[in-house]
Amino acid sequence: MGRTPCCDREAVKRGPWSPEEDDALRDYINRHGTAGNWISLPNKAGLRRCGKSCRLRWLNYLRPDIRHGAFTDEEDAIIISLYSKLGSKWSTIAAQLERRTDNDVKNHWNTKLKRRLAAAAACTPLLPLPAPPPLAATHTSPSSSLLLLPPLAVPTVKTEAYTCDDFLQQLLPTATAATALRDPFADGAATDGGSTSASAASSGSNWSADTGVVVVGGGGGGLFPEFCMSSDDLAGAATAEDDHFIGGGYYYPLDPSLSSSLV
DNA sequence: AAGCCAGTCAACCGCAGGGGT
DNA sequence: GACCCCTGCGGTTGACTGGCT
């Protein structure tokens, strides 16, 4: 009945790893590698651990080529951007970040970024509850096979966000982050000119290198800074009467000084 | 000082999928 | 094609920690 456990739960140790266990695993792998077989590795290494546990410990913690510690604004921006496109494909997202593990990225999202976005969403009473983007992509960017773009389905921020200090400080603390946000489109496929149309905002087919504002939503509703618009468009936004809600997209000033022209 | 609470992160669990037989 | 074994992945849990009351 049911699946056979991968190892004898009575015989193996569980819970946190001791320094001695870490040393034993590290030494064994340094000397012999994993030999492509994690199941038999614990016995050979003299560890009373499940092979899966050894693999996880090595991949997420002991491996020498991984980095722990705080995520940079640039990394945050990449994670947010990729999550909006891929959903919870943590291994794929982690692969786009240098020396980060999927577990780290997942934890960072669940403990910090998701909370930060939820806080931003709380800036407006009009927001729906956060929801993960669907797995199936509805269309793709012409620039990259990686950039699948499901409908943005995370908290939509209406333009009241312009006046929310928390949002300003937490979601996009620096213009540097905005620079990183452009990276997925940096292969030249995106065109300059920054349309304010809803279709352009939601498809990403048009954006501006002359960044004044990041669109943080679109037809599908979403919080992820996907697209940019030009200073000219920003001027248009500033004069729009519809609470700065333009053509089905939601716009967010990268430069906090610009926000004063919008509120 | 003690208790509570929220945040963080390492680790576990179960499932999916690939490869070998 | 069916079955088994193993790895990889994503969701979840629980221990630990630091801040607050």
Side-chain angles (χ1 to χ4, degrees):
Chain A
M1 193 55 188
R3 165 180 288 251
T4 309
C6 68
C7 48
D8 182 356
R9 294 186 186 185
E10 300 299 318
V12 301
K13 185 182 175 216
R14 300 169 65 194
W17 281 64
S18 67
E20 291 75 22
E21 288 176 310
D22 282 348
D23 287 343
L25 180 59
R26 192 186 292 110
D27 287 349
Y28 181 87
I29 292 179
N30 284 341
R31 280 188 279 119
H32 303 99
T34 66
N37 190 339
W38 286 103
I39 300 300
S40 63
L41 188 148
N43 274 340
K44 295 175 181 173
L47 289 163
R48 287 181 57 241
R49 289 279 182 174
C50 173
K52 284 181 77 168
S53 180
C54 291
R55 173 185 167 272
L56 210 61
R57 184 64 179 171
W58 173 256
L59 291 179
N60 288 339
Y61 196 80
L62 296 178
R63 224 174 2 139
D65 60 336
I66 56 175
R67 187 157 48 102
H68 293 290
F71 281 67
T72 65
D73 291 341
E74 286 78 8
E75 288 175 314
D76 285 353
I78 291 169
I79 293 169
I80 291 170
S81 178
L82 289 177
Y83 183 87
S84 74
K85 299 173 181 66
L86 304 171
S88 54
K89 296 291 183 185
W90 303 119
S91 59
T92 306
I93 294 172
Q96 305 303 311
L97 301 170
E98 204 171 347
R99 297 162 60 199
R100 294 290 190 185
T101 69
D102 55 351
N103 207 39
D104 267 352
V105 172
K106 178 175 57 181
N107 281 333
H108 183 57
W109 172 266
N110 285 330
T111 60
K112 296 198 179 74
L113 296 182
K114 193 165 75 175
R115 203 179 305 273
R116 199 182 294 172
L117 296 175
C123 290
T124 167
L126 301 178
L127 298 176
L129 289 173
L135 289 178
T138 54
H139 54 282
T140 60
S141 161
S143 61
S144 166
S145 59
L146 176 66
L147 297 176
L148 306 177
L149 293 172
L152 299 172
V154 271
T156 298
V157 173
K158 204 171 182 305
T159 49
E160 282 82 357
Y162 286 129
T163 60
C164 177
D165 288 343
D166 285 344
F167 186 90
L168 283 169
Q169 291 166 7
Q170 292 182 26
L171 182 62
L172 287 174
T174 68
T176 308
T179 303
L181 289 173
R182 296 188 203 166
D183 286 349
F185 301 96
D187 57 7
T191 59
D192 199 352
S195 168
T196 57
S197 73
S199 59
S202 57
S203 70
S205 61
N206 213 351
W207 74 297
S208 173
D210 179 15
T211 303
V213 172
V214 169
V215 179
V216 292
L223 183 57
F224 299 105
E226 296 290 345
F227 318 111
C228 303
M229 57 187 290
S230 69
S231 297
D232 287 343
D233 292 330
L234 172 62
T239 57
E241 293 181 354
D242 186 20
D243 274 344
H244 318 302
F245 173 80
I246 307 164
Y250 297 88
Y251 300 87
Y252 178 80
L254 292 179
D255 178 353
S257 69
L258 295 172
S259 66
S260 61
S261 67
L262 293 169
V263 293

